[in-house]
Amino acid sequence: MSIPLPWGARGAEEGIADVRDVLGRIRGAVETVVEGKDDVVRTALVVLLAEGHLLVEDVPGVGKTMLAKALARATGVTVRRVQFTPDLLPSDLTGVSVYDAESRRFEFQPGPVFAHVVVGDEINRASPKTQSALLECMGERQVTVDGTTHTLARPFMVVATQNPAEMEGTYPLPEAQRDRFMARVSMGYPSMASELAMLGSHGARDPLTDLEPVSDPGELRRAIAVTASVHAAPAVQQYLLDLVTATRTHPAVSLGASPRASLHLLRASRAVAVLDGRDHVLPDDVQSLAVPVLAHRLVLSPEASAVRRTAEDVLVDLLQRVPVPSAARA
């Protein structure tokens, strides 16, 4: 769907300034709920601006679901939360056709994916069959049920959480589904100061209770249109592609990043540029996103896994080895 650029004749600089104002309000609202996680909140906003999906992976109780719900509530969009369990069916996500005796025809009852933000809690607890129900909506922003295709709302974002420590009763996400997540973040434990502040502010009541929307879907669609128009020079695009291609030939990697990863990295880099008030992408933007955008897509070789090497280690190595064109820095 083509969205008209929102700034009219005022110019791109004012359009970007408007987006920064919107995102500043959203960020301030989310950070009243999520204490001391500036980098995580920033990455979530980048994914939102770039029309991607976010995977939040960490141990229980560190605020994964709280982040997802706070982001949805602050943006003023529709949100549906799904608790993934082994007995969850694909139709529980996408919806189902129900026979209406009065009209003598089947009527489609939309599932929870028909919302702007879908919060999938503990996504790896559902069976592969149910997980696959998300592939079409995450990749194409549509759902096909009984041969009929239904278009999803824009913006559309899946924020999924999973617990990597508790493996009993879980199903690892297949590579095809991991590849549809634009970025993966880990919350981590809060600092002592942040946790102390949390005890004072969140100890008596749910912090989401007082969180009011500071934006709306129309405003977000305009912000996304601004982000998509940000310029990425050919030299920057070549550097981005060199970095992604290098993951496919690294000796520690058996499955490198896909072409979809290249597109996601470019879109996310444009979002970082907007957040920093620029109308063009820098190599630094690409570098800052390499780990959250690429790491979860890489499958390491058995030899690398045996010596406890991580995908993050591989990307740090590549960031040091892949040359940055001097023209791209200009």
Side-chain angles (χ1 to χ4, degrees):
M1 180 177 65
S2 177
I3 301 174
L5 294 181
W7 54 71
R10 296 179 303 137
E13 290 185 3
E14 290 189 35
I16 290 175
D18 291 344
V19 175
R20 294 190 73 196
D21 176 68
V22 173
L23 271 294
R25 284 187 268 122
I26 296 173
R27 183 172 188 168
V30 173
E31 288 179 347
T32 63
V33 175
V34 182
E35 302 272 357
K37 296 296 176 184
D38 296 349
D39 291 343
V40 174
V41 174
R42 178 179 169 87
T43 302
L45 293 177
V46 165
V47 174
L48 177 67
L49 268 184
E51 280 198 292
H53 309 291
L54 182 67
L55 179 62
V56 189
E57 184 179 88
D58 218 316
V59 297
V62 293
K64 302 186 297 294
T65 306
M66 188 73 73
L67 169 67
K69 294 172 72 174
L71 182 65
R73 184 167 297 188
T75 51
V77 298
T78 58
V79 57
R80 296 288 298 274
R81 178 182 179 275
V82 182
Q83 181 64 55
F84 280 72
T85 57
D87 60 347
L88 193 72
L89 299 175
S91 58
D92 294 331
L93 294 174
T94 59
V96 64
S97 294
V98 178
Y99 183 73
D100 187 341
E102 292 185 5
S103 62
R104 295 185 179 182
R105 62 181 182 180
F106 284 92
E107 293 186 357
F108 178 64
Q109 300 294 324
V113 296
F114 287 86
H116 291 108
V117 175
V118 179
V119 180
D121 208 7
E122 296 187 308
I123 188 174
N124 57 334
R125 289 199 173 278
S127 68
K129 181 178 181 180
T130 301
Q131 289 182 18
S132 67
L134 287 173
L135 295 180
E136 183 183 13
C137 67
M138 291 177 67
E140 304 170 48
R141 289 178 172 79
Q142 65 181 32
V143 171
T144 302
V145 179
D146 295 334
T148 302
T149 299
H150 307 271
T151 302
L152 299 177
R154 301 285 293 269
F156 174 72
M157 180 181 185
V158 173
V159 183
T161 73
Q162 69 172 358
N163 172 17
E166 187 180 351
M167 300 308 297
E168 184 177 353
T170 64
Y171 303 85
L173 295 184
E175 287 77 10
Q177 187 159 13
R178 290 206 308 269
D179 195 47
R180 281 167 168 77
F181 285 102
M182 177 172 284
R184 180 186 65 181
V185 295
S186 296
M187 297 293 291
Y189 289 110
S191 65
M192 184 173 291
S194 297
E195 194 162 2
L196 185 61
M198 181 188 70
L199 292 177
S201 59
H202 301 175
R205 59 183 301 171
D206 184 352
L208 288 171
T209 303
D210 300 324
L211 184 59
E212 296 292 336
V214 294
S215 183
D216 59 67
E219 200 168 40
L220 279 181
R221 285 191 288 269
R222 291 190 292 271
I224 290 168
V226 173
T227 303
S229 71
V230 167
H231 176 66
V236 175
Q237 295 188 39
Q238 184 62 56
Y239 170 65
L240 182 154
L241 188 58
D242 289 344
L243 187 61
V244 172
T245 303
T247 67
R248 304 167 189 167
T249 57
H250 196 283
V253 178
S254 62
L255 180 63
S258 66
R260 182 189 284 120
S262 303
L263 291 171
H264 283 182
L265 186 54
L266 176 60
R267 293 169 185 168
S269 298
R270 285 179 169 140
V272 168
V274 169
L275 287 176
D276 290 341
R278 285 180 278 106
D279 63 355
H280 59 281
V281 177
L282 297 177
D284 292 344
D285 302 328
V286 177
Q287 293 172 347
S288 69
L289 290 165
V291 170
V293 173
L294 300 179
H296 64 287
R297 307 169 194 265
L298 305 186
V299 178
L300 299 186
S301 65
E303 295 79 12
S305 299
V307 296
R308 297 182 180 275
R309 196 167 189 187
T310 66
E312 288 78 3
D313 296 333
V314 171
L315 288 168
V316 169
D317 178 44
L318 291 178
L319 287 171
Q320 295 172 346
R321 289 169 43 193
V322 176
V324 181
S326 57
R329 285 195 177 277

PDB file of all heavy atoms in Angstrom, residues 242-265:
ATOM      1  N   ASP A 242      28.172  -6.407   1.639  1.00  0.00           N
ATOM      2  CA  ASP A 242      29.439  -7.090   1.916  1.00  0.00           C
ATOM      3  C   ASP A 242      29.403  -7.756   3.285  1.00  0.00           C
ATOM      4  O   ASP A 242      29.886  -8.881   3.467  1.00  0.00           O
ATOM      5  CB  ASP A 242      30.595  -6.097   1.860  1.00  0.00           C
ATOM      6  CG  ASP A 242      30.896  -5.616   0.447  1.00  0.00           C
ATOM      7  OD1 ASP A 242      30.432  -6.269  -0.512  1.00  0.00           O
ATOM      8  OD2 ASP A 242      31.572  -4.585   0.312  1.00  0.00           O
ATOM      9  N   LEU A 243      28.819  -7.060   4.247  1.00  0.00           N
ATOM     10  CA  LEU A 243      28.748  -7.596   5.605  1.00  0.00           C
ATOM     11  C   LEU A 243      27.845  -8.830   5.653  1.00  0.00           C
ATOM     12  O   LEU A 243      28.193  -9.852   6.258  1.00  0.00           O
ATOM     13  CB  LEU A 243      28.225  -6.511   6.550  1.00  0.00           C
ATOM     14  CG  LEU A 243      28.223  -6.825   8.043  1.00  0.00           C
ATOM     15  CD1 LEU A 243      29.629  -7.095   8.554  1.00  0.00           C
ATOM     16  CD2 LEU A 243      27.593  -5.657   8.815  1.00  0.00           C
ATOM     17  N   VAL A 244      26.673  -8.738   5.027  1.00  0.00           N
ATOM     18  CA  VAL A 244      25.749  -9.878   5.014  1.00  0.00           C
ATOM     19  C   VAL A 244      26.354 -11.058   4.251  1.00  0.00           C
ATOM     20  O   VAL A 244      26.276 -12.210   4.685  1.00  0.00           O
ATOM     21  CB  VAL A 244      24.395  -9.460   4.402  1.00  0.00           C
ATOM     22  CG1 VAL A 244      23.500 -10.677   4.213  1.00  0.00           C
ATOM     23  CG2 VAL A 244      23.703  -8.436   5.296  1.00  0.00           C
ATOM     24  N   THR A 245      26.964 -10.780   3.107  1.00  0.00           N
ATOM     25  CA  THR A 245      27.565 -11.845   2.303  1.00  0.00           C
ATOM     26  C   THR A 245      28.685 -12.552   3.061  1.00  0.00           C
ATOM     27  O   THR A 245      28.855 -13.776   2.932  1.00  0.00           O
ATOM     28  CB  THR A 245      28.105 -11.273   0.981  1.00  0.00           C
ATOM     29  OG1 THR A 245      27.043 -10.611   0.287  1.00  0.00           O
ATOM     30  CG2 THR A 245      28.669 -12.369   0.100  1.00  0.00           C
ATOM     31  N   ALA A 246      29.421 -11.795   3.860  1.00  0.00           N
ATOM     32  CA  ALA A 246      30.524 -12.381   4.614  1.00  0.00           C
ATOM     33  C   ALA A 246      30.037 -13.418   5.623  1.00  0.00           C
ATOM     34  O   ALA A 246      30.777 -14.344   5.964  1.00  0.00           O
ATOM     35  CB  ALA A 246      31.318 -11.280   5.318  1.00  0.00           C
ATOM     36  N   THR A 247      28.797 -13.294   6.095  1.00  0.00           N
ATOM     37  CA  THR A 247      28.283 -14.294   7.031  1.00  0.00           C
ATOM     38  C   THR A 247      28.082 -15.644   6.349  1.00  0.00           C
ATOM     39  O   THR A 247      28.068 -16.684   7.008  1.00  0.00           O
ATOM     40  CB  THR A 247      26.942 -13.846   7.642  1.00  0.00           C
ATOM     41  OG1 THR A 247      25.919 -13.818   6.635  1.00  0.00           O
ATOM     42  CG2 THR A 247      27.057 -12.474   8.290  1.00  0.00           C
ATOM     43  N   ARG A 248      27.912 -15.633   5.020  1.00  0.00           N
ATOM     44  CA  ARG A 248      27.641 -16.873   4.290  1.00  0.00           C
ATOM     45  C   ARG A 248      28.913 -17.666   3.993  1.00  0.00           C
ATOM     46  O   ARG A 248      28.832 -18.844   3.632  1.00  0.00           O
ATOM     47  CB  ARG A 248      26.907 -16.546   2.985  1.00  0.00           C
ATOM     48  CG  ARG A 248      25.620 -15.769   3.198  1.00  0.00           C
ATOM     49  CD  ARG A 248      25.079 -15.199   1.895  1.00  0.00           C
ATOM     50  NE  ARG A 248      23.963 -14.285   2.131  1.00  0.00           N
ATOM     51  CZ  ARG A 248      23.462 -13.454   1.226  1.00  0.00           C
ATOM     52  NH1 ARG A 248      23.974 -13.423   0.004  1.00  0.00           N
ATOM     53  NH2 ARG A 248      22.461 -12.634   1.536  1.00  0.00           N
ATOM     54  N   THR A 249      30.058 -17.014   4.115  1.00  0.00           N
ATOM     55  CA  THR A 249      31.323 -17.688   3.804  1.00  0.00           C
ATOM     56  C   THR A 249      32.221 -17.831   5.019  1.00  0.00           C
ATOM     57  O   THR A 249      33.315 -18.373   4.900  1.00  0.00           O
ATOM     58  CB  THR A 249      32.071 -16.907   2.711  1.00  0.00           C
ATOM     59  OG1 THR A 249      32.287 -15.552   3.143  1.00  0.00           O
ATOM     60  CG2 THR A 249      31.264 -16.877   1.419  1.00  0.00           C
ATOM     61  N   HIS A 250      31.777 -17.352   6.167  1.00  0.00           N
ATOM     62  CA  HIS A 250      32.609 -17.451   7.363  1.00  0.00           C
ATOM     63  C   HIS A 250      32.746 -18.918   7.769  1.00  0.00           C
ATOM     64  O   HIS A 250      31.751 -19.663   7.782  1.00  0.00           O
ATOM     65  CB  HIS A 250      31.972 -16.637   8.497  1.00  0.00           C
ATOM     66  CG  HIS A 250      32.903 -16.361   9.634  1.00  0.00           C
ATOM     67  ND1 HIS A 250      33.221 -17.318  10.581  1.00  0.00           N
ATOM     68  CD2 HIS A 250      33.600 -15.239   9.978  1.00  0.00           C
ATOM     69  CE1 HIS A 250      34.051 -16.797  11.455  1.00  0.00           C
ATOM     70  NE2 HIS A 250      34.296 -15.540  11.102  1.00  0.00           N
ATOM     71  N   PRO A 251      33.959 -19.360   8.111  1.00  0.00           N
ATOM     72  CA  PRO A 251      34.156 -20.782   8.434  1.00  0.00           C
ATOM     73  C   PRO A 251      33.393 -21.270   9.654  1.00  0.00           C
ATOM     74  O   PRO A 251      33.149 -22.475   9.789  1.00  0.00           O
ATOM     75  CB  PRO A 251      35.676 -20.880   8.664  1.00  0.00           C
ATOM     76  CG  PRO A 251      36.122 -19.481   8.933  1.00  0.00           C
ATOM     77  CD  PRO A 251      35.217 -18.604   8.142  1.00  0.00           C
ATOM     78  N   ALA A 252      32.994 -20.373  10.540  1.00  0.00           N
ATOM     79  CA  ALA A 252      32.264 -20.781  11.740  1.00  0.00           C
ATOM     80  C   ALA A 252      30.764 -20.862  11.517  1.00  0.00           C
ATOM     81  O   ALA A 252      30.027 -21.230  12.434  1.00  0.00           O
ATOM     82  CB  ALA A 252      32.566 -19.816  12.894  1.00  0.00           C
ATOM     83  N   VAL A 253      30.282 -20.508  10.312  1.00  0.00           N
ATOM     84  CA  VAL A 253      28.845 -20.423  10.037  1.00  0.00           C
ATOM     85  C   VAL A 253      28.462 -21.474   8.997  1.00  0.00           C
ATOM     86  O   VAL A 253      29.067 -21.562   7.928  1.00  0.00           O
ATOM     87  CB  VAL A 253      28.464 -19.018   9.535  1.00  0.00           C
ATOM     88  CG1 VAL A 253      26.983 -18.943   9.194  1.00  0.00           C
ATOM     89  CG2 VAL A 253      28.825 -17.969  10.576  1.00  0.00           C
ATOM     90  N   SER A 254      27.439 -22.267   9.316  1.00  0.00           N
ATOM     91  CA  SER A 254      26.931 -23.243   8.346  1.00  0.00           C
ATOM     92  C   SER A 254      25.743 -22.704   7.566  1.00  0.00           C
ATOM     93  O   SER A 254      25.441 -23.184   6.473  1.00  0.00           O
ATOM     94  CB  SER A 254      26.535 -24.545   9.054  1.00  0.00           C
ATOM     95  OG  SER A 254      25.496 -24.314   9.992  1.00  0.00           O
ATOM     96  N   LEU A 255      25.020 -21.718   8.116  1.00  0.00           N
ATOM     97  CA  LEU A 255      23.916 -21.062   7.414  1.00  0.00           C
ATOM     98  C   LEU A 255      23.994 -19.569   7.692  1.00  0.00           C
ATOM     99  O   LEU A 255      23.806 -19.132   8.831  1.00  0.00           O
ATOM    100  CB  LEU A 255      22.560 -21.616   7.863  1.00  0.00           C
ATOM    101  CG  LEU A 255      21.332 -20.992   7.189  1.00  0.00           C
ATOM    102  CD1 LEU A 255      21.346 -21.275   5.684  1.00  0.00           C
ATOM    103  CD2 LEU A 255      20.042 -21.529   7.809  1.00  0.00           C
ATOM    104  N   GLY A 256      24.294 -18.797   6.645  1.00  0.00           N
ATOM    105  CA  GLY A 256      24.459 -17.358   6.804  1.00  0.00           C
ATOM    106  C   GLY A 256      23.157 -16.598   6.678  1.00  0.00           C
ATOM    107  O   GLY A 256      22.074 -17.179   6.554  1.00  0.00           O
ATOM    108  N   ALA A 257      23.275 -15.280   6.688  1.00  0.00           N
ATOM    109  CA  ALA A 257      22.099 -14.410   6.618  1.00  0.00           C
ATOM    110  C   ALA A 257      21.511 -14.424   5.206  1.00  0.00           C
ATOM    111  O   ALA A 257      22.229 -14.513   4.208  1.00  0.00           O
ATOM    112  CB  ALA A 257      22.474 -12.997   7.025  1.00  0.00           C
ATOM    113  N   SER A 258      20.191 -14.295   5.143  1.00  0.00           N
ATOM    114  CA  SER A 258      19.461 -14.398   3.873  1.00  0.00           C
ATOM    115  C   SER A 258      19.340 -13.023   3.203  1.00  0.00           C
ATOM    116  O   SER A 258      19.630 -11.984   3.804  1.00  0.00           O
ATOM    117  CB  SER A 258      18.052 -14.928   4.154  1.00  0.00           C
ATOM    118  OG  SER A 258      17.319 -13.975   4.908  1.00  0.00           O
ATOM    119  N   PRO A 259      18.870 -12.985   1.941  1.00  0.00           N
ATOM    120  CA  PRO A 259      18.559 -11.693   1.320  1.00  0.00           C
ATOM    121  C   PRO A 259      17.513 -10.898   2.104  1.00  0.00           C
ATOM    122  O   PRO A 259      17.548  -9.663   2.101  1.00  0.00           O
ATOM    123  CB  PRO A 259      18.036 -12.098  -0.063  1.00  0.00           C
ATOM    124  CG  PRO A 259      18.719 -13.393  -0.349  1.00  0.00           C
ATOM    125  CD  PRO A 259      18.797 -14.093   0.978  1.00  0.00           C
ATOM    126  N   ARG A 260      16.583 -11.598   2.767  1.00  0.00           N
ATOM    127  CA  ARG A 260      15.628 -10.887   3.614  1.00  0.00           C
ATOM    128  C   ARG A 260      16.360 -10.145   4.730  1.00  0.00           C
ATOM    129  O   ARG A 260      15.968  -9.034   5.122  1.00  0.00           O
ATOM    130  CB  ARG A 260      14.605 -11.851   4.207  1.00  0.00           C
ATOM    131  CG  ARG A 260      13.547 -11.128   5.068  1.00  0.00           C
ATOM    132  CD  ARG A 260      12.669 -12.090   5.834  1.00  0.00           C
ATOM    133  NE  ARG A 260      11.674 -12.709   4.980  1.00  0.00           N
ATOM    134  CZ  ARG A 260      11.570 -14.010   4.760  1.00  0.00           C
ATOM    135  NH1 ARG A 260      12.427 -14.848   5.328  1.00  0.00           N
ATOM    136  NH2 ARG A 260      10.626 -14.485   3.980  1.00  0.00           N
ATOM    137  N   ALA A 261      17.426 -10.739   5.235  1.00  0.00           N
ATOM    138  CA  ALA A 261      18.213 -10.079   6.276  1.00  0.00           C
ATOM    139  C   ALA A 261      18.824  -8.786   5.747  1.00  0.00           C
ATOM    140  O   ALA A 261      18.906  -7.784   6.477  1.00  0.00           O
ATOM    141  CB  ALA A 261      19.310 -11.021   6.785  1.00  0.00           C
ATOM    142  N   SER A 262      19.268  -8.781   4.494  1.00  0.00           N
ATOM    143  CA  SER A 262      19.821  -7.561   3.896  1.00  0.00           C
ATOM    144  C   SER A 262      18.770  -6.456   3.865  1.00  0.00           C
ATOM    145  O   SER A 262      19.047  -5.298   4.211  1.00  0.00           O
ATOM    146  CB  SER A 262      20.322  -7.842   2.474  1.00  0.00           C
ATOM    147  OG  SER A 262      21.287  -8.862   2.458  1.00  0.00           O
ATOM    148  N   LEU A 263      17.548  -6.814   3.449  1.00  0.00           N
ATOM    149  CA  LEU A 263      16.466  -5.826   3.402  1.00  0.00           C
ATOM    150  C   LEU A 263      16.129  -5.318   4.793  1.00  0.00           C
ATOM    151  O   LEU A 263      15.926  -4.111   5.006  1.00  0.00           O
ATOM    152  CB  LEU A 263      15.229  -6.445   2.749  1.00  0.00           C
ATOM    153  CG  LEU A 263      15.330  -6.748   1.253  1.00  0.00           C
ATOM    154  CD1 LEU A 263      14.123  -7.556   0.794  1.00  0.00           C
ATOM    155  CD2 LEU A 263      15.445  -5.459   0.456  1.00  0.00           C
ATOM    156  N   HIS A 264      16.054  -6.228   5.758  1.00  0.00           N
ATOM    157  CA  HIS A 264      15.752  -5.820   7.124  1.00  0.00           C
ATOM    158  C   HIS A 264      16.825  -4.896   7.683  1.00  0.00           C
ATOM    159  O   HIS A 264      16.520  -3.916   8.374  1.00  0.00           O
ATOM    160  CB  HIS A 264      15.605  -7.057   8.013  1.00  0.00           C
ATOM    161  CG  HIS A 264      14.303  -7.763   7.836  1.00  0.00           C
ATOM    162  ND1 HIS A 264      13.941  -8.877   8.571  1.00  0.00           N
ATOM    163  CD2 HIS A 264      13.247  -7.514   7.020  1.00  0.00           C
ATOM    164  CE1 HIS A 264      12.737  -9.271   8.210  1.00  0.00           C
ATOM    165  NE2 HIS A 264      12.306  -8.462   7.263  1.00  0.00           N
ATOM    166  N   LEU A 265      18.079  -5.209   7.395  1.00  0.00           N
ATOM    167  CA  LEU A 265      19.167  -4.377   7.900  1.00  0.00           C
ATOM    168  C   LEU A 265      19.120  -2.984   7.287  1.00  0.00           C
ATOM    169  O   LEU A 265      19.368  -1.980   7.965  1.00  0.00           O
ATOM    170  CB  LEU A 265      20.507  -5.049   7.610  1.00  0.00           C
ATOM    171  CG  LEU A 265      21.763  -4.399   8.198  1.00  0.00           C
ATOM    172  CD1 LEU A 265      21.630  -4.214   9.703  1.00  0.00           C
ATOM    173  CD2 LEU A 265      23.004  -5.239   7.868  1.00  0.00           C
TER     174      LEU A 265
END
